[in-house]
Every structure is written in structure tokens, then in C-alpha cells.
Amino acid sequence: MKPPTFNIMKCRSSVFFYLNRSKSIVLILLMFGALFCAKIQAQTKNITKDSLKVEELYLKAIEIVNANPIESRKIFEEALITIDKNLSASNSESSFFLLKKAFILERLAYFLRRENKYGVAFEYLQESLELKRKVGETYTLGYTYSQIAWLWIYQSEFEKTKINLDSAYALSKRYGNIKEAIRSLSRYGTLYLNLKEYVKAEDHHLQAVKLADSINNPKAIATTNANYADFLRRQKRYEENIPYLKRSMIMHEKNDNQIGLESGYYALGLTYRNLKKPYEAIKAFKQSIEMSKKQKNEAIIHMRYLGLSKTYKDIQDYENAYLSYQKFARLREKGKNEINYRKMADLESEYKYEQQLAIDSLRFAQEKREVALLTKAETSKKWLYLALLLIAVVAALIIGFLVRRNYQNKARILTEKIEKERAQKELLDQQVIIKEEEIRRLVADNTMRLNFKQELLDQLTKEISEKKPEDLKISLSSLTKELKSQINTEGKLSSLQHKIDQVNQGFDNKLIKLYPSLTKTEREVCSLLRLNLSIKEIMTIRNASQDAIKSIRYRIRKKMRLSSGEELEQFIQNIA
């Protein structure tokens, strides 16, 4: 049986066929990949371009939002169209576009509120809340809740106003958003004013004004002062109202805030009218009307004409009062449809609001609890710090008392020691004086003894040389008595050196320390000089000649390096 054979040519053809086919497939895949990448790149480029465009439009609108609200609103709406175009494509989860849309909706809600379109404004703010939660934005949530609260206060729904303000204030405290805290406090003031809780209202307004001043933010200062001025005007405290109102207007003018400035002129007109200053009121109302026309705000301008009409009536200018009232009536009629629309929109959004309120209550209950816990912790911390401070103060007082008492005890002991040493010194001084007196007496006795010896010597010489032997016995008996007297004197002199040593106790050691070159004899002479003894007395005590004592004095002066003008005795006494 033959082994199977292969057609080599046929096999080679098949291989080439499959290779060519694979190359075609790879080429097609590469083409599709290139087209897909190009499309992705184009989309990315478009997204980047749109992102830059939206950011540019948003910043431009924010910059002119107060100075030119009409143009600002148009720019916001243009940016919103670009955002919606991107979100409707494949970028529905883009955090950038979602967050920008949330911010723009808040701004548009502000314009709608000023046009009395509260329903639509409410829907915009609810959508802004949802978008912020979707992207995890929490820092600015308080602003959204504050705006919703402001919508409800226009509807006289004060309970709903407070719920939203509580959320706004709790979030501002949690995230340290001072500007939002100021806004919430100011709006609390308006809420409590409507609730006729006037003390609370004024307290919150003043807190807001003070906090705005502390951060020196012109916009916050303008808003808080305007709201507090409104409170004062509604309390009929017209004179107090004016400084706050004018300060608010100065800040609005500084920020080129035409909306705030227009409201300020209207409030100023109302104030001047109540203060019986009709001409100032007319001027303010006219300024307000002029600015409202520029802003094309037909929702509020009719109230400006009503204020103007009433003021003309006050001064009995009935023609202008009537003309102004006609404008008021025409503009009010024009706005009726808007008011009806507002009511319908509010009814339609009521269920949505109640539903959202339930969600928000659950969602922010924990946050409010956390804020309460943080507040409690801060309070506890403050009390702890206060307790520690009090403990530190008490401890400092106790330590101070103990240190002072210890110091006083030491001072008392030292004083007692000094007094004791002083008493001892006085006692020693007295003893020295007594002993010096004794030495002087002994020296005097010694001098008398010398004189007596000399006289005895002279008498013996005379007696022996002149008298007869039989008279000599009598003379010798007399001399014997005198010698016995002299022996007594000698006994006294025997204790002289001992007395000198006692008086000069310690003086000898001081001389050795100060002048170690002095000999013992020289130190003994110094001790005698210290007692104010004369050279003749020292000669007698030392049993030395006058020249010897003078020589010793000379050596002492030389070793002590005394000048010719210094007295040796005085110098030695100063050493003692």
C-alpha cells in the first residue's frame, strides 16, 4: 500500500489565500480604530472647548450680575444651553457641567424671584440641590437652602422658611462658611420680624451686622445693614433706620450693585415719607423708578409708583398723585397674570416640596445632630478650658502664697540672725572695750613700776653711799616694803600678755592672711599699736629699746606699703 501524497502547489496556494485575507481584516480593524480614536479626540476637544466657554460665560455673568442684571441673565442662559447640549450627549455624568448647571440655576432663580415667579424659581433651586448632591458638593448647599427659605418667606410660609434656614445655618456652621452664616442670621431676623418675635429679630440682625463687619466684606455689610434698616423701619424707628440704610447704599454703590441700590432708594423713599419729608421721599422714589426701568423689572416697579403717588398726595399735588396712581394701576394689572401663574406653580410644586422635605429631613437630620454634637463638644471644651484656667489661677495663687510665706519666713529668720549677730557683735565690742581699759590700767601700772624702779635705784644708790651702817637697816626695811608693792604690780603685769591675746583674737590670723611676710614680733607690735599704746609703753611691755621699736615700726610700714602721709596706727585699726 502506497503512503498518502500531498499536492504541494495546492497547499501553498491555500496558505497565501488565508494570509492575504487576514491582512485585509487587520487593515479594516485599524481603519475603524483610527476613526473611533479621531471621533473620541474630536469629542474630547469639543468638551474641552465647551468647558472653557461655559467657565468664561459664567465668570462674565457673575462679574456683571449686580451692575447689569439683564445682560447677566442672558449670559447665564447662554451658558446653560451649552451645558445641556453636553449633558444630553455622552457627558451626562460630567461633574463640571453638573455643578456649573447647579450654580447657574441658583442665579436664574434669583432673577425669577425678583419677577415674582416663585414657582419656577423653586423648581430651579430644587434641581440645583439634586445636582449638587449628585456631584458631592456640600460647601455651597447652605446657599441653596437659604434661597429656598427666602422664597417661602414671600409666601408667608414661615414654618417652611425656618426649616430651610435651619438647614442653611447648620451647613454653614459645619463647613465654616462665614458668608452663608451671615446671610442666614440676617434672614432669621426677617423671619422673626414676620413672626412678631421682635427681640429675637433684632438680636439676629445685630449678630449678622457685627459678623459682616468682622470680615469686612462689602457685599455682606450692604445686605445685613439693609435688612436691619428694614426691621427698624417696620418698627417705626425711622431715625435709627437711616444710618444703616445709607451705609448699605454706600456699599452697594461701591460694588456697583444696581439691584441693591434700587431697593435702597425705594426704602429711603418710604422712610422719608414717614418722617414727613415728602420732597426727599419724592426724589428717592423717582430714582428708584428710573433704576427699575433700566433693569426692566416690571414685577416691582408698580409699587414704586404707588409710593410716589401717596407722597404727591401728602403735599396736595393731586395731579401728579393721580398720574402716578394710573401708572401703578396699569402695571399692577399687567402683572396679574404673572401673579396667577405664581400661585398655580406654587400649588403644583407643593407635593414635590413635601416629598423633598421628607427626604431632606432624613438626609440632614444626621448632619444637624453632628452639628449639635460639635457645638456641644465645643461648649464642653470651653468649660474644660475655663475649669483648667480656674485651676491654674487657684494653683498660681496657692503657689504665690506659699512662696510669699516662705520668703517672709526666710526674711524673718535672716532678720533674727542679723539681730543676733548684731547683739553678739555689740557684746564683743563691749568686752573688747572692757579689756582695753584693763590693758590701759596695766600699762599705767607698768609705767608706775618703771618709775618706781628708777626711784628705788636712785634711792639705793643714795642710801648706800651716804648713810652709816647703823642707819642702813632702817632704810633697807623701808625699801623692802616698797619692793613688796612692786611685786604686786609685777603680778598684775604677768596677765598683760594674756589680756592682749584675748583682745586681739582673730586679728593675728587676719594679719597673716593679708601680710604673710610679717614676722611674729612685728605682728605682736601691730596688736599693741591696735590698742593705741605709745612707743614708750610698747618699749616697757616688750622690754626693748626705743630704737628697736622704731625699727620694727619702719619694717611694718614697708611691708604694708604705706605712704609717708598714712598713719600706721590708724591703718592697723581700720584692718581690725
Side-chain angles (χ1 to χ4, degrees):
M1 192 173 175
K2 292 182 179 180
T5 58
F6 295 94
N7 190 332
I8 300 300
M9 294 299 293
K10 187 177 181 181
C11 182
R12 187 180 295 172
S13 298
S14 298
V15 170
F16 279 116
F17 172 75
Y18 284 114
L19 284 172
N20 288 330
R21 188 177 178 184
S22 297
K23 287 180 180 178
S24 299
I25 293 170
V26 170
L27 185 61
I28 291 168
L29 289 173
L30 288 172
M31 289 176 64
F32 275 112
L35 289 171
F36 179 75
C37 289
K39 184 178 179 182
I40 293 297
Q41 188 176 3
Q43 286 180 347
T44 304
K45 187 175 181 181
N46 288 333
I47 292 169
T48 304
K49 184 179 178 181
D50 286 344
S51 299
L52 293 172
K53 180 182 177 182
V54 167
E55 184 67 22
E56 184 181 353
L57 290 171
Y58 180 78
L59 293 175
K60 185 178 179 182
I62 288 291
E63 187 179 355
I64 62 171
V65 67
N66 294 316
N68 192 348
I70 297 172
E71 184 63 24
S72 175
R73 181 174 180 175
K74 288 179 181 178
I75 296 171
F76 277 131
E77 289 171 346
E78 183 183 349
L80 192 59
I81 292 169
T82 305
I83 290 171
D84 286 337
K85 181 188 73 174
N86 278 273
L87 292 176
S88 63
S90 58
N91 303 310
S92 58
E93 299 298 320
S94 170
S95 296
F96 171 80
F97 288 121
L98 291 173
L99 189 58
K100 282 299 177 188
K101 184 174 182 179
F103 291 156
I104 291 172
L105 288 172
E106 287 176 342
R107 295 293 178 174
L108 292 175
Y110 166 73
F111 293 124
L112 290 166
R113 173 170 62 79
R114 286 184 54 80
E115 295 171 5
N116 298 332
K117 297 177 181 177
Y118 301 118
V120 183
F122 178 77
E123 289 173 359
Y124 276 18
L125 291 172
Q126 287 290 347
E127 187 177 354
S128 176
L129 278 179
E130 291 302 320
L131 292 172
K132 285 183 179 182
R133 291 191 185 113
K134 192 172 183 178
V135 299
E137 168 62 25
T138 53
Y139 185 77
T140 59
L141 270 179
Y143 176 76
T144 316
Y145 276 100
S146 180
Q147 295 295 63
I148 293 173
W150 210 234
L151 287 177
W152 286 118
I153 205 166
Y154 281 106
Q155 302 293 306
S156 298
E157 293 282 356
F158 302 129
E159 184 179 350
K160 294 175 183 178
T161 301
K162 190 172 187 308
I163 289 170
N164 284 279
L165 272 181
D166 287 344
S167 296
Y169 191 60
L171 287 166
S172 70
K173 296 289 284 184
R174 179 177 181 180
Y175 297 111
N177 191 335
I178 298 177
K179 291 182 181 178
E180 192 51 53
I182 294 169
R183 185 182 290 109
S184 298
L185 286 169
S186 187
R187 289 181 174 178
Y188 269 126
T190 304
L191 169 64
Y192 287 124
L193 173 63
N194 283 281
L195 292 172
K196 297 182 180 180
E197 297 182 36
Y198 302 122
V199 175
K200 274 188 177 181
E202 185 161 19
D203 179 59
H204 281 79
H205 277 306
L206 288 173
Q207 282 187 59
V209 170
K210 186 177 179 181
L211 193 55
D213 286 339
S214 70
I215 65 171
N216 196 26
N217 183 284
K219 186 176 179 181
I221 292 171
T223 304
T224 53
N225 278 266
N227 288 342
Y228 184 45
D230 179 66
F231 166 82
L232 294 170
R233 180 173 56 80
R234 290 169 66 178
Q235 289 289 294
K236 298 183 180 180
R237 293 158 62 180
Y238 303 116
E239 292 290 351
E240 293 179 62
N241 154 64
I242 290 177
Y244 289 98
L245 184 56
K246 286 190 173 180
R247 189 181 183 209
S248 169
M249 294 175 70
I250 289 168
M251 291 298 171
H252 282 314
E253 192 167 14
K254 184 178 180 180
N255 295 327
D256 197 17
N257 186 340
Q258 297 300 307
I259 294 174
L261 203 55
E262 184 277 325
S263 297
Y265 277 115
Y266 176 61
L268 198 60
L270 294 174
T271 302
Y272 280 137
R273 182 171 180 264
N274 283 289
L275 286 172
K276 309 300 181 185
K277 296 180 179 179
Y279 296 102
E280 288 91 336
I282 288 169
K283 184 178 178 182
F285 281 132
K286 284 184 175 181
Q287 188 68 34
S288 173
I289 290 167
E290 186 66 27
M291 296 182 77
S292 294
K293 286 179 180 178
K294 287 182 179 179
Q295 296 167 22
K296 297 182 180 178
N297 194 339
E298 297 178 352
I300 61 172
I301 194 171
H302 65 285
M303 293 303 298
R304 280 50 175 165
Y305 276 113
L306 179 62
L308 184 61
S309 174
K310 288 180 179 180
T311 311
Y312 275 130
K313 184 182 176 183
D314 291 340
I315 60 174
Q316 298 180 357
D317 186 349
Y318 298 112
E319 182 180 356
N320 280 318
Y322 176 70
L323 292 173
S324 298
Y325 187 82
Q326 276 188 321
K327 292 178 181 178
F328 157 73
R330 186 170 65 253
L331 291 168
R332 182 185 60 177
E333 188 67 26
K334 186 178 179 182
K336 276 186 178 179
N337 291 332
E338 292 293 339
I339 294 171
N340 291 333
Y341 170 75
R342 181 195 70 195
K343 291 179 179 179
M344 289 175 63
D346 290 341
L347 290 173
E348 289 173 0
S349 65
E350 184 72 25
Y351 173 74
K352 291 180 182 178
Y353 173 77
E354 295 296 341
Q355 188 180 42
Q356 186 62 46
L357 185 61
I359 295 170
D360 291 341
S361 297
L362 292 172
R363 186 170 291 163
F364 284 96
Q366 180 63 29
E367 291 185 353
K368 289 179 182 179
R369 279 196 295 273
E370 289 177 6
V371 171
L373 287 172
L374 285 172
T375 305
K376 188 176 180 181
E378 288 295 327
T379 304
S380 301
K381 200 180 289 184
K382 286 178 182 177
W383 280 110
L384 176 62
Y385 290 155
L386 181 60
L388 290 173
L389 178 62
L390 289 173
I391 291 169
V393 170
V394 171
L397 289 173
I398 292 171
I399 292 169
F401 172 75
L402 293 174
V403 168
R404 186 170 180 272
R405 190 172 69 176
N406 184 48
Y407 174 78
Q408 288 176 339
N409 289 337
K410 285 184 177 179
R412 180 174 53 78
I413 292 168
L414 184 61
T415 304
E416 290 176 356
K417 185 179 178 181
I418 291 169
E419 290 295 331
K420 187 176 179 181
E421 289 177 352
R422 186 180 296 156
Q424 289 176 348
K425 184 177 181 299
E426 288 176 356
L427 181 60
L428 288 172
D429 288 344
Q430 289 175 0
Q431 290 176 354
V432 167
I433 291 169
I434 292 168
K435 288 177 181 179
E436 284 180 349
E437 288 297 326
E438 290 179 1
I439 290 169
R440 287 192 181 92
R441 284 198 298 271
L442 289 171
V443 169
D445 289 343
N446 187 50
T447 304
M448 291 172 63
R449 181 178 63 83
L450 288 171
N451 292 333
F452 174 76
K453 283 180 178 181
Q454 186 64 43
E455 290 174 0
L456 181 61
L457 179 62
D458 293 341
Q459 190 174 354
L460 280 172
T461 304
K462 183 179 179 182
E463 291 290 337
I464 292 171
S465 62
E466 293 180 359
K467 288 196 176 185
K468 297 178 180 181
E470 56 271 14
D471 296 328
L472 187 61
K473 184 177 180 180
I474 297 169
S475 297
L476 289 173
S477 176
S478 175
L479 288 171
T480 302
K481 288 180 183 178
E482 289 181 8
L483 285 172
K484 283 181 181 180
S485 174
Q486 182 64 28
I487 288 168
N488 290 332
T489 305
E490 290 289 345
K492 292 179 182 178
L493 287 171
S494 64
S495 62
L496 179 61
Q497 187 61 44
H498 176 69
K499 296 290 183 180
I500 291 171
D501 291 341
Q502 283 185 331
V503 171
N504 292 309
Q505 186 177 8
F507 179 68
D508 191 61
N509 292 331
K510 188 177 284 189
L511 284 175
I512 292 170
K513 185 177 179 181
L514 293 174
Y515 304 104
S517 61
L518 291 174
T519 64
K520 183 179 179 182
T521 301
E522 290 167 349
R523 293 198 304 274
E524 289 174 354
V525 172
C526 285
S527 299
L528 295 172
L529 288 172
R530 178 173 176 268
L531 298 173
N532 284 327
L533 298 180
S534 65
I535 293 176
K536 187 175 181 181
E537 290 170 339
I538 294 172
M539 286 167 49
T540 304
I541 293 169
R542 296 292 301 170
N543 194 22
S545 66
Q546 185 176 356
D547 291 337
I549 299 303
K550 286 183 177 181
S551 178
I552 293 170
R553 281 173 54 88
Y554 174 75
R555 290 198 301 272
I556 293 170
R557 289 181 65 89
K558 188 174 181 181
K559 290 179 180 180
M560 289 184 175
R561 297 181 181 178
L562 297 180
S563 63
S564 58
E566 292 182 277
E567 292 185 5
L568 180 60
E569 289 82 355
Q570 186 64 41
F571 184 80
I572 290 172
Q573 287 172 7
N574 289 338
I575 292 174

